[in-house]
Amino acid sequence: MALLRRFNTIRSLYQTLEVHQSSSFLSSRSYSTGFSNVSQFYGQGVTSCLYKTQTNALPWTCRNTLTLRSTMAAELLIFLNDKKSLSTQAPTQTRKVGAQISMTSPGFVYEPYALREPIPFWKRYFTRTGWRQTKEDIKSELKSAYAIAKLRKTGYSKQKFYKEAVELYKEISTLIANGDKTSLRKAVTENMFSALKNEIKQRESIWSKVYWELVEPIVKIRTLRARLIGVDKNDLNKAFIQLTLEFLTKEKFEAYDSKGAVVAGDKTKEVLVRSIWVFEKSLFHSGSHWRLCGRIKV
């Protein structure tokens, strides 16, 4: 009897496991099919915007109904395929305010932009390496589109932000040239401030004074990447956003020694400069503003 009872127990457990596996398989297959269709559907919208807009226009600024209506689907798609992009858990910079702790910055640049060499058409579509890079490019564009869609809900305007970004570029560069660390602290994140403070210290050991001027209007500005960094996996609205911008500017520079003699540069000549800066803002703090959180070497 004991042997028969044990056999019945094992059989019931096996049947339960079999039913669970079957239901899991059906559930995963339905989700996979649904999101596969969403990926193809939404990807076409983003790609069409990417290649039909002007050079300076952003792919997500295209007023494509398909793209706009697919935002919710894209949110689910990205959350399913790459949860890290939405809720990256990282050591964050915090500040104590009374008995509370206020998070001021994630303290790092998430997925820093890196320049890539263009791939020939035949290599992109007829080799595994090309397919892999094409997949990564589309995935990156979807992440940027998702981040911009979230940012737009807070009243984001591309023209307004670009104007603010140019003012920040000018202000921060001027503060660095003047060595004004007190004012600089308010315009950058904590980690960025530490790096710039060391940079100013090293420069002052070589040059006594620096002249810097931005020739306006600037030549070009464009967004290269947008990323969200979540701080609470249970609340996707608690996130920081980082926008990577490329500036093409004309600048004037001149450096002096302790006696006032020119030792580098020429302030009468304009120099074409390309810079890539990363700006950061909190989406869940009232009164938050854009700050410089990183610079990418060109």
Side-chain angles (χ1 to χ4, degrees), residues 1 22 26 59 95 116 180 189 202 240 245-246 249 288 294:
M1 292 296 292
S22 176
L26 290 175
R95 182 179 301 161
R116 287 186 178 183
D180 188 351
T189 62
Q202 292 177 2
F240 290 88
L245 300 185
E246 178 188 40
T249 60
S288 61

Side-chain angles (χ1 to χ4, degrees), residues 57 170 190 199 222:
K170 182 179 179 180
E190 286 75 7
E199 182 180 308
R222 66 178 180 132

Side-chain angles (χ1 to χ4, degrees), residues 113-179:
Y113 177 81
L115 297 175
R116 287 186 178 183
E117 295 183 1
I119 299 180
F121 176 83
W122 64 269
K123 189 174 182 180
R124 176 176 287 274
Y125 294 103
F126 297 102
T127 63
R128 289 187 177 181
T129 304
W131 294 344
R132 192 178 301 112
Q133 181 164 333
T134 300
K135 178 183 176 182
E136 291 299 321
D137 291 344
I138 294 175
K139 194 175 180 181
S140 178
E141 290 297 333
L142 286 173
K143 288 181 181 179
S144 293
Y146 173 81
I148 292 296
K150 281 284 187 182
L151 185 59
R152 279 178 174 167
K153 294 179 180 179
T154 64
Y156 166 80
S157 167
K158 184 183 71 173
Q159 289 77 12
K160 183 179 178 181
F161 170 69
Y162 278 5
K163 184 177 180 180
E164 183 179 354
V166 171
E167 289 299 320
L168 279 172
Y169 181 87
K170 182 179 179 180
E171 177 189 356
I172 294 173
S173 298
T174 302
L175 293 174
I176 294 173
N178 296 336

Side-chain angles (χ1 to χ4, degrees), residues 76-92:
L76 296 175
L77 169 67
I78 300 172
F79 183 76
L80 182 67
N81 291 341
D82 194 357
K83 295 182 181 180
K84 186 177 180 181
S85 64
L86 305 186
S87 56
T88 302
Q89 301 299 316
T92 56

Side-chain angles (χ1 to χ4, degrees), residues 16 52 88 108 144 148 190 192 256 280 282 295 297:
T16 303
K52 289 181 181 180
T88 302
F108 68 103
S144 293
I148 292 296
E190 286 75 7
M192 194 67 221
Y256 310 91
E280 178 183 284
S282 169
R295 295 181 299 177
K297 294 182 179 180

